[in-house]
Amino acid sequence: LGRYTDSRGLLLEEEDADDDASSTDCGTPGRSDGWALPAPLKRLVQGQIEMLHAAQETVLLLLIGISANLIAYVIDHLIEALVKQRARMAQSEDSFLRSYAIWTGSALLSCTLSAMCVQFIGPAAAGSGIPQMKSVLAGMRVHDYLSTRTFVAKMASLVFALAGGLSVGKEGPYVHITSCAAALLMRLPGFRRVAKDDALKRQMLSAACAAGVSATFGAPVGGVLFSIEVTSTYYTVQHLWKSLFASVCGTLVFRGLRDAGALGKGFEKTVFADMEQVMHNGEIYAFALLGVLCGLIGAGFVTATSSLIIMVRQLRETLATRGSRHNLVSDRRRHGRAAIPVLGHFGPPWPFRSLYGVGRMLRCDLSWHAALELLLSRYGYTLVVAFSSAMLTFPFGFFRSEPQEVINELFRPSSFDMAARWSHPSLRINLAIYIVCKFVFTSVAVGCPISCGMFTPVFLIGAAVGRLYGELLNDLTPIDMMITAGGYAVVGAAAMAAGVTRTVSTAVIVFELTGQLNHMLPVLVAVLIATGVGNACNASIYDTMLALNKLPYIQPLKPHHAARRSAADVMDASVAPLRVPCSHLDAAALLKASPAAREFPLVDVDGALLGAVPRGFLMGKVEQLLSANNEPKSPPLLDLLASRVTEALGVSSPWVLARIPSFRRPDAPPSETGKAISEGGSAAASRDAPEAGAQIPQGEATPPGAAPPRDGHRPAAADGGARVKDASPAGGQGRPAGDVEECSTHSVTPLLPSPAGRGVTGRSPWPMLSESGVSNASFEERSEADAILLALPLDLGLQGAMGGRGLSAVNYAPTVVLAATSLATVHMQFSLFATECAYVVHAGRYVGVIRRSQLTGEES
């Protein structure tokens, strides 16, 4: 290994000796006296550093767990204070209509503020948060999902939404909020090392997701398992202790606050009787049937929610398309000319536009088209949902109860207190009303552009379904057969949550909430059946929202989709490699040909993959070359006079450049060199044939998409283009760098987009390009010095950075897959290691590239 000496530029034999020397010489950098750190002391120092890093990670996990529950404590108290204030204001009025108006108006105001927080503070805060974290933990680079603005907007929007009475949950937003808090903690000076390590950062974010789930119910084990199921495709078991440690630390804070009375009324422990007889009396079949029912209802909830969101989006697009045409026609009829798209033409800005539109609607001064567009807008849709929810939450008292209180009543093993608000007109009728209304309100509320979860409302729906199922079963069974309706409520809550989220960890959450394991077997049976029935119907609610929001994520492969498919079937063979030795013009043409590529494969003259070079490195090299040449300089007096004379005579004679010896051809006079440059410009550089000893195997099969081994290997040079000798020993054969052989205008192409916005200050080094990146000047019109400079060889630092050492920007260890690698293996590699791109090789030669965006569906 490491003893190749051909033109591929791999390790030399002498490097083995350098490795041995570097492994024993561990002295202080810059010292040449041969002093080395003793091996025992070196191991001691390394051990202390590892202990320091472990302590740093432990402290960070502790802070994540504590902050998750403290944030949940603050949010719960803010929601409770706002709800009590609404109730106090509504109850202070003697008239029912006034109380109803105050209750409804306060709900509309609170929900409007929730939507405004998302729009004006952090648009990434909309939705649950679990689909976003699933995309982030999969290695996707999602913009602004863990920023401070998103953190603030998520908290404020959730507080106002729940205070406004919307049927939304807190589990998903808590996951997102805790992840944002973890990202903010990793920005502190003591934890920046963790933020720089992508793998370690994802571990901390995974622990934050588990702590967020635990902060909702105070269930550490169930929270960890639930977070793994909903956010991870592949999970490293050796990091499980980190998530569990953060969850346990947070749960200790949760229990301490609850015991101190700071959290109010929590979940009560159940006291169910022994359920060992369920196998003998046939009651286990009733629990299995409940699991089937909850699975079907859960699949229906997912379908109803996704269909409603798609329908609203399609209506908005249709109204927007017809509205622009309608406004143009109406303005032409009214004013006799086309409309001028100014701000005043579209009415006042939000939120005043919604009030303005409501006023016009009440005055019947609004067409049906404009009214429908207003109702389906961001604020219109939210206000409609809030108004509908407030209409029913005020007359029915059980809708105004907190989720913990409702769950405690439904889980109660004894019968309901008939003097309570559930008794009129009938317990079963009220349960049916609660199930239907909660189902509808949750489905429409999930589509609002606010911070909203769905686990807690679904959990409540399942508890109500199970309680109603138990009450009806109790009426149908004989008197001597005792049916515990509260036990069916527990099983229904777990099964409904599993039918919507497709997770079996909801059973563990129920065990931790109830504090009993007597009903473990019925819960597990119902949860497994509900999960299977739901998977047979559609995807989970989180995967559905992931697809609807078009978040980047590598979906699991279907068995028939991956069968008999390999990496060669999905690779992109259009990305041309950069062959060494090369010129600056080769790099410029490659950048122009692939504007979206972040890095390019680096190959030798035979097409063998050497590594990958970043786009920014090539861009900087070319910009640096042209910027130095385009700096304004004071020309010599003779050159200035000569240029003025030639301009006055109307003669184009670049004799000033021809006077420079380094730009002349040895076999041509100076004037011929200038003439060749001015008439033909410059084109892509090429190299001579490879060394005489280099042989290409004959008869070797080349897969489709493979680049030719020798001819046509430069992406920008055309046949008959300019031929410029490389200064490298392999391609120059002793000729000076920059020697010009011939020129042709057929090989001239625009080179690069404008570097505006990339941190380049001052005058652009690309005078022949416009700001949009489109060439607005021919190659002959640009500076002749720039044309010749681009033909100079490009130094990639290969000689001084063999094996990835040195200061070279070349990545000598990119991710590589064989062309015959199965698609399932490629998919697992991208999902498990968060790989951005992988280069496909066949017989050692580069043939294509597979990008993450191809597997996520971002590229067609």
Side-chain angles (χ1 to χ4, degrees):
L1 292 175
R3 291 178 173 84
Y4 294 95
T5 57
D6 60 356
S7 59
R8 298 181 182 180
L10 299 179
L11 296 177
L12 300 178
E13 185 172 3
E14 290 78 4
E15 292 186 4
D16 294 338
D18 296 340
D19 293 340
D20 297 338
S22 60
S23 62
T24 56
D25 186 8
C26 302
T28 305
R31 296 190 57 169
S32 59
D33 53 359
W35 179 84
L37 192 66
L41 184 59
K42 179 182 178 181
R43 288 193 296 268
L44 179 62
V45 172
Q46 291 178 349
Q48 295 297 324
I49 293 176
E50 292 177 359
M51 291 181 59
L52 180 61
H53 290 172
Q56 184 186 44
E57 297 172 12
T58 304
V59 172
L60 179 58
L61 292 171
L62 178 64
L63 293 178
I64 289 174
I66 294 176
S67 62
N69 285 267
L70 292 180
I71 292 172
Y73 169 77
V74 173
I75 291 176
D76 290 343
H77 273 264
L78 290 176
I79 295 172
E80 183 180 1
L82 290 177
V83 171
K84 288 183 177 180
Q85 183 63 28
R86 287 184 58 204
R88 188 181 302 110
M89 293 172 57
Q91 294 173 359
S92 62
E93 299 293 335
D94 298 333
S95 174
F96 175 81
L97 293 178
R98 290 181 180 178
S99 300
Y100 179 79
I102 292 176
W103 179 263
T104 305
S106 59
L108 296 178
L109 177 61
S110 182
C111 294
T112 302
L113 293 176
S114 177
M116 290 177 62
C117 290
V118 173
Q119 182 181 9
F120 296 109
I121 300 178
S128 168
I130 290 181
Q132 290 85 341
M133 291 310 304
K134 189 172 185 178
S135 180
V136 171
L137 291 178
M140 306 298 176
R141 298 179 179 179
V142 188
H143 176 67
D144 209 29
Y145 276 176
L146 299 177
S147 63
T148 307
R149 295 177 54 188
T150 304
F151 175 72
V152 176
K154 198 79 175 181
M155 291 181 58
S157 179
L158 179 63
V159 169
F160 286 121
L162 289 174
L166 292 182
S167 180
V168 295
K170 297 183 291 186
E171 189 169 39
Y174 276 1
V175 169
H176 198 177
I177 290 171
T178 308
S179 301
C180 293
L184 294 177
L185 288 173
M186 284 186 284
R187 297 179 188 176
L188 298 177
F191 306 110
R192 290 177 182 174
R193 179 190 66 87
V194 179
K196 294 179 181 179
D197 190 342
D198 291 338
L200 190 56
K201 181 179 179 180
R202 287 196 300 270
Q203 296 173 20
M204 295 301 167
L205 292 178
S206 179
C209 293
V213 178
S214 302
T216 308
F217 299 110
V221 179
V224 171
L225 297 179
F226 184 84
S227 65
I228 292 174
E229 285 190 276
V230 299
T231 61
S232 303
T233 303
Y234 298 97
Y235 190 81
T236 307
V237 182
Q238 63 180 352
H239 304 310
L240 179 63
W241 73 270
K242 296 182 180 180
S243 299
L244 190 59
F245 179 78
S247 298
V248 170
C249 292
T251 305
L252 291 176
V253 177
F254 179 88
R255 297 292 174 86
L257 294 175
R258 188 187 64 180
D259 295 342
L263 291 180
K265 190 175 183 180
F267 296 101
E268 296 178 357
K269 303 300 181 182
T270 58
V271 287
F272 296 133
D274 193 5
M275 291 188 176
E276 293 182 358
Q277 301 297 325
V278 293
M279 294 296 297
H280 303 286
N281 57 11
E283 197 174 357
I284 188 66
Y285 301 106
F287 286 112
L289 181 60
L290 179 60
V292 174
L293 180 63
C294 290
L296 294 175
I297 297 177
F301 177 83
V302 175
T303 302
T305 303
S306 59
S307 301
L308 181 62
I309 294 175
I310 294 174
M311 183 185 67
V312 171
R313 289 180 180 178
Q314 292 177 349
L315 287 176
R316 287 174 180 173
E317 295 175 358
T318 303
L319 292 175
T321 303
R322 295 182 179 179
S324 59
R325 184 167 55 243
H326 174 74
N327 291 336
L328 182 62
V329 173
S330 61
D331 278 341
R332 283 179 176 175
R333 292 177 179 175
R334 187 179 306 172
H335 303 291
R337 61 181 183 275
I340 302 176
V342 295
L343 180 62
H345 176 73
F346 298 98
W350 288 108
F352 305 104
R353 195 190 306 177
S354 60
L355 301 178
Y356 174 76
V358 171
R360 291 185 59 189
M361 186 184 300
L362 295 177
R363 297 195 309 268
C364 298
D365 191 24
L366 202 62
S367 63
W368 68 269
H369 181 277
L372 186 59
E373 185 177 4
L374 177 65
L375 292 178
L376 293 178
S377 63
R378 171 187 293 268
Y379 293 93
Y381 183 81
T382 305
L383 292 176
V384 169
V385 175
F387 182 76
S388 302
S389 301
M391 286 179 60
L392 289 177
T393 56
F394 188 77
F396 293 95
F398 48 80
F399 278 110
R400 299 196 302 267
S401 302
E402 295 183 359
Q404 293 88 345
E405 185 178 354
V406 176
I407 289 176
N408 291 334
E409 291 180 351
L410 294 176
F411 284 4
R412 189 174 302 166
S414 58
S415 60
F416 272 72
D417 185 5
M418 300 311 294
R421 48 183 174 267
W422 291 90
S423 58
H424 301 287
S426 170
L427 172 62
R428 292 157 184 80
I429 295 178
N430 286 335
L431 286 175
I433 293 175
Y434 186 86
I435 292 170
V436 174
C437 293
K438 201 71 175 176
F439 185 96
V440 175
F441 290 157
T442 306
S443 298
V444 297
V446 169
C448 294
I450 58 175
S451 174
C452 58
M454 61 199 74
F455 185 89
T456 302
V458 167
F459 197 80
L460 289 171
I461 294 173
V465 169
R467 185 75 191 201
L468 179 60
Y469 182 86
E471 294 289 344
L472 294 177
L473 193 64
N474 200 8
D475 295 339
L476 297 176
T477 55
I479 301 178
D480 56 347
M481 184 177 180
M482 286 298 299
I483 298 296
T484 306
Y488 285 89
V490 172
V491 174
M496 181 66 69
V500 174
T501 62
R502 312 298 156 80
T503 58
V504 297
S505 57
T506 54
V508 183
I509 294 178
V510 166
F511 298 151
E512 293 185 275
L513 284 181
T514 58
Q516 276 191 309
L517 295 178
N518 292 339
H519 50 285
M520 180 178 64
L521 184 60
V523 169
L524 291 177
V525 170
V527 164
L528 291 175
I529 293 178
T531 303
V533 171
N535 287 330
C537 297
N538 49 30
S540 69
I541 185 64
Y542 299 123
D543 291 337
T544 302
M545 299 304 295
L546 193 73
L548 289 178
N549 295 329
K550 297 180 180 180
L551 295 174
Y553 183 74
I554 302 179
Q555 296 290 346
L557 287 176
K558 298 180 180 179
H560 66 276
H561 182 71
R564 298 182 180 179
R565 300 194 68 187
S566 61
D569 298 326
V570 298
M571 70 178 184
D572 182 10
S574 63
V575 179
L578 181 64
R579 296 181 180 268
V580 293
C582 60
S583 66
H584 287 79
L585 189 58
D586 292 331
L590 188 61
L591 291 169
K592 177 62 179 178
S594 303
R598 295 181 178 178
E599 65 177 12
F600 299 94
L602 191 66
V603 300
D604 63 359
V605 293
D606 293 329
L609 183 66
L610 301 179
V613 58
R615 180 185 187 88
F617 176 76
L618 298 179
M619 194 83 172
K621 282 288 187 180
V622 181
E623 289 178 355
Q624 180 182 6
L625 180 70
L626 295 184
S627 298
N629 183 62
N630 289 328
E631 290 180 357
K633 300 177 181 179
S634 300
L637 181 59
L638 292 179
D639 291 349
L640 182 60
L641 293 176
S643 61
R644 294 292 177 84
V645 171
T646 53
E647 289 177 4
L649 296 177
V651 179
S652 177
S653 177
W655 65 275
V656 178
L657 280 178
R659 290 171 46 239
I660 304 177
S662 59
F663 290 128
R664 298 177 185 170
R665 281 174 45 189
D667 55 347
S671 60
E672 184 179 348
T673 303
K675 180 179 179 181
I677 298 173
S678 61
E679 292 180 357
S682 178
S686 66
R687 271 69 54 193
D688 287 342
E691 298 177 0
Q695 299 291 334
I696 301 179
Q698 299 294 333
E700 184 174 351
T702 302
R710 293 181 185 270
D711 299 333
H713 55 272
R714 292 188 333 275
D719 294 339
R723 306 288 180 180
V724 182
K725 293 294 183 180
D726 199 333
S728 61
Q733 295 189 2
R735 299 191 63 162
D739 288 354
V740 180
E741 276 192 17
E742 58 181 310
C743 299
S744 172
T745 58
H746 298 289
S747 61
V748 177
T749 56
L751 299 181
L752 281 174
S754 172
R758 296 180 59 88
V760 180
T761 59
R763 188 169 61 90
S764 172
W766 304 95
M768 77 293 191
L769 296 180
S770 62
E771 293 183 358
S772 60
V774 181
S775 176
N776 54 12
S778 63
F779 197 80
E780 295 88 343
E781 297 175 4
R782 62 171 291 118
S783 171
E784 297 168 354
D786 290 350
I788 295 184
L789 284 176
L790 284 174
L792 294 177
L794 176 62
D795 183 17
L796 297 175
L798 298 179
Q799 300 298 328
M802 292 294 182
R805 292 172 293 191
L807 300 178
S808 175
V810 178
N811 179 16
Y812 288 94
T815 304
V816 179
V817 296
L818 300 180
T821 304
S822 64
L823 184 58
T825 303
V826 174
H827 181 275
M828 184 182 66
Q829 182 176 358
F830 273 81
S831 301
L832 186 58
F833 301 107
T835 306
E836 288 294 333
C837 68
Y839 297 102
V840 185
V841 296
H842 175 75
R845 292 186 174 91
Y846 164 79
V847 293
V849 62
I850 300 177
R851 291 180 293 271
R852 176 186 289 269
S853 55
Q854 297 173 244
L855 301 179
T856 57
E858 297 177 74
E859 297 183 12
S860 57

